[in-house]
Amino acid sequence: MYQLNLGELSLDDFMQQYWQKKPLLIKQGFKQFQDPLSADELAGLALEDDVESRLVQCTDGNWQLETGPFEDFARFGDKDWTILVQAVDHWHPPAAALIEPFRFIPNWRIDDLMVSFSTPGGGVGPHLDQYDVFIIQGEGKRHWRVGMPDPSLKSICPHPRLLQVTPFTACIDVIMEPGDILYIPPGCPHDGISIENSLNYSVGFRAPAQKDLLTGLTDYLIDNDFVGKRFSDVNRTLTPAIGAISEQDLDQVQQLLMQLVSDRAQLPLWFGQYITQAKHELDQQEPDPHYEAAEIAEYLEEGSVLGRIGGLRCSYYQATSDSDIQLFINGNRIVLPAEEYDTACLLCDSNRIDQQQCLHFIAREERLLLITDLINQGLWYFEE
Amino acid sequence: MYQLNLGELSLDDFMQQYWQKKPLLIKQGFKQFQDPLSADELAGLALEDDVESRLVQCTDGNWQLETGPFEDFARFGDKDWTILVQAVDHWHPPAAALIEPFRFIPNWRIDDLMVSFSTPGGGVGPHLDQYDVFIIQGEGKRHWRVGMPDPSLKSICPHPRLLQVTPFTACIDVIMEPGDILYIPPGCPHDGISIENSLNYSVGFRAPAQKDLLTGLTDYLIDNDFVGKRFSDVNRTLTPAIGAISEQDLDQVQQLLMQLVSDRAQLPLWFGQYITQAKHELDQQEPDPHYEAAEIAEYLEEGSVLGRIGGLRCSYYQATSDSDIQLFINGNRIVLPAEEYDTACLLCDSNRIDQQQCLHFIAREERLLLITDLINQGLWYFEE
Ligand SMILES: O=C(O)CCC(=O)C(=O)O
Ligand SMILES: O=C(O)CCC(=O)C(=O)O
Ligand SMILES: [Co+2]
Ligand SMILES: [Co+2]
């Protein structure tokens, strides 16, 4: 297990002073850091069809970008390139463990673990992202610079799929060493150039844009065959302006829309499903044949431990302490009675259910059926 | 031109007492009614690929529905069937004239003219619609019954694509004769059974449902590459409930959605484009070659008259009398300066621009270019 070490700073301080406000260098945020994977393992992932990867190379000021799966890396030489692999937490349990120390931010806000391997001179260039990120330095050293948001920076596009910014003033300028961590809020320009072969782990966050929320809600309502009220104008009066779209008509259109988005009964149900959908392929392996509930009960009783597959998104919503719990797993909703709060927490709060906790799931028939279903879907699995 | 005759009732009375409230029989609403088309012409339209039609037949309590285009009608025999043709106003200018007397309701609320031909015994069965409709009796007689909305009525589905209701109590029960008109608000059950071969003209209205509005707005924002603000939580405090979706997070999600739908600068622009989109094929014939503006000026000066193609949806929006006019034609937006209000009215208020009115379009270069463009798109045309 990795343990985050903020030094003098408490987590509360971090939230108040830095989160979404300004970048922070956490020297030796992970002490005696051990890489959870090797550059070779990362390269191996980039050969896979299911894994999203890209390679960025800059030779003599000429930026190139290729997307995976790749076949080999020999042709890229030994400098000036970076390979970036998305959602490594979905495929590599030891790497997924790097996300856990950051779970002081709620699950739904966490996106994925991106891992990059860079040869000397390698980097994606100065750029900014729309999302918070913690960048952990693994093996090797890399020169990182980070600046504050600056509206005078201009976007540049040295390659159709590479969005960079013009040179920026750094407030952090550091040679990162293994175990150092950078926190970068949205909109802060940053640039990492490798000094030697090096690995970087990015714990990224998710922050839906207004457009995403609206399309998400719309899709949800369509999937659920919602129609809703129709425009009505029972109080319409005569007007000679038959070509006009009147303010009154627009008022009602607006009201119909407002009602939809302010329905606090529906909103959590939609949002929970929406925000727990996976953006990247999951390593979901359905056991064949399925387990019987009785078998599972036996294994749990005997002291098994359950792992949750990497990147599985789990959250719950409970309006008041005596309302039903809406449990959202991988974009699906499961309703649990209020007294099953502990069940929701065991599933959501950690990526592992230990021996002791597993006993909770055999104490009631409904819990056993629930965990049986989740195991049979390949979402939780028996750890060796 | 058809002239609506409400007898004792004024249009104001109609709006206050009946519109969207209760059904009304307008005996001889059109005096000395002359059908704008014949049953044969209607049958001809139902042979066309571009025209939406369906035939409903009930033999021995067995309901059948077929959709067009049809090849011939001989096989249906001479009784117990109705053929219904949608958007006849798009294809048949004399029939389109039947909509004009109902333009005391704004353009955007009007949908299309559906025309049905029924043999004795023919009808679609008792049903209700989500929209207001004026049903005009043409040639022949038909027995119509209309009831008030009644939540005790049950839906029945005698055929997968026929939605009917259980028997209802009529508040109007009449043998309709040529020129009689029925007004039926949304949700009122109605049933027409032909006594002899007869034609019925339905002037239907459009009332978008909440779902339509939301999908429409979403599509508009996507088409316009809108992204908007992202979720942000600069004031987040620590919580042990990392699996929970909190009320504060939902508050902000809701606020981001509310902002989108309550932006009164964007709303009219979207709604105007949305609501002027045609739901059925238009008979839009682009002149080939296009006219030069000078040619058009010449024709208009010489006393030409311009017709608007049937079913073209035209509306405008003007926030205040000195703001720009947003002119919406067939789902497109054209911005006109405030002083061009008359231009917007000439295009929107009527389906015809007479000799005198045509001169307006040659008085200013911009107007000439506008009308030239509309003619070259095949949206207005020189009447013979
Ligand atoms: O590792 C890299 O090269 C890029 C990391 C980065 O820019 C990020 O995670 O935002
Ligand atoms: O003409 C018909 O048979 C059906 C008319 C009708 O029900 C309507 O227009 O709502
Ligand atoms: Co970045
Ligand atoms: Co009807």
Side-chain angles (χ1 to χ4, degrees), chain A residues 183-257:
Chain A
Y183 164 68
I184 308 177
C188 290
H190 53 286
D191 189 15
I193 302 175
S194 247
I195 291 173
E196 46 193 39
N197 281 354
S198 92
L199 284 167
N200 273 229
Y201 306 88
S202 297
V203 176
F205 290 80
R206 189 183 271 206
Q210 280 179 301
K211 187 201 76 173
D212 306 327
L213 295 173
L214 194 69
T215 46
L217 177 60
T218 305
D219 292 348
Y220 175 84
L221 293 174
I222 290 174
D223 288 350
N224 289 276
D225 292 324
F226 171 87
V227 173
K229 281 194 269 187
R230 286 193 178 274
F231 182 95
S232 68
D233 49 6
V234 57
N235 296 319
R236 187 179 289 287
T237 52
L238 291 179
T239 165
I242 59 146
I245 295 172
S246 71
E247 297 296 343
Q248 292 91 304
D249 287 348
L250 289 169
D251 285 346
Q252 204 208 132
V253 166
Q254 180 175 337
Q255 235 209 311
L256 288 168
L257 285 165

Side-chain angles (χ1 to χ4, degrees), chain A residues 20-21 103 107 109 207-208 210 218 229-231 233 242-243 245 247 251 254 256 264 316-317, chain B residues 20-21 103 107 109 207-208 210 218 229-231 233-234 242-243 245 247 251 254 256 264 316-317:
Chain A
Q20 297 229 304
K21 296 169 203 77
R103 289 206 191 274
N107 290 348
R109 277 283 273 140
Q210 280 179 301
T218 305
K229 281 194 269 187
R230 286 193 178 274
F231 182 95
D233 49 6
I242 59 146
I245 295 172
E247 297 296 343
D251 285 346
Q254 180 175 337
L256 288 168
R264 272 306 265 267
Y316 59 84
Y317 170 76
Chain B
Q20 297 230 302
K21 298 169 203 80
R103 290 206 190 272
N107 289 348
R109 277 283 273 139
Q210 281 178 302
T218 305
K229 282 193 271 188
R230 287 194 177 272
F231 183 94
D233 48 7
V234 57
I242 60 145
I245 296 173
E247 297 296 343
D251 285 347
Q254 180 175 339
L256 288 168
R264 271 306 264 268
Y316 59 86
Y317 169 76

Side-chain angles (χ1 to χ4, degrees), chain B residues 284-304:
Chain B
Q284 189 174 355
Q285 288 165 22
E286 221 180 292
D288 182 23
H290 278 191
Y291 291 98
E292 299 290 334
E295 281 176 275
I296 300 227
E298 201 175 305
Y299 295 146
L300 297 184
E301 208 149 6
E302 283 168 359
S304 289

Side-chain angles (χ1 to χ4, degrees), chain A residues 248-318:
Chain A
Q248 292 91 304
D249 287 348
L250 289 169
D251 285 346
Q252 204 208 132
V253 166
Q254 180 175 337
Q255 235 209 311
L256 288 168
L257 285 165
M258 296 277 268
Q259 264 177 20
L260 274 186
V261 304
S262 60
D263 177 351
R264 272 306 265 267
Q266 286 299 313
L267 196 80
L269 306 193
W270 154 66
F271 186 69
Q273 291 201 331
Y274 169 73
I275 208 66
T276 56
Q277 283 162 21
K279 283 202 302 196
H280 301 275
E281 201 75 34
L282 289 170
D283 187 19
Q284 188 175 356
Q285 288 164 22
E286 221 180 293
D288 182 21
H290 278 190
Y291 292 96
E292 299 290 332
E295 283 176 275
I296 300 227
E298 202 176 303
Y299 295 147
L300 298 185
E301 209 149 3
E302 284 168 359
S304 289
V305 164
L306 288 170
R308 185 167 80 187
I309 60 166
L312 188 71
R313 302 180 66 79
C314 302
S315 289
Y316 59 84
Y317 170 76
Q318 192 182 25

Side-chain angles (χ1 to χ4, degrees), chain B residues 127 129 133 135 190:
Chain B
H127 69 282
D129 301 299
V133 65
I135 301 180
H190 52 286

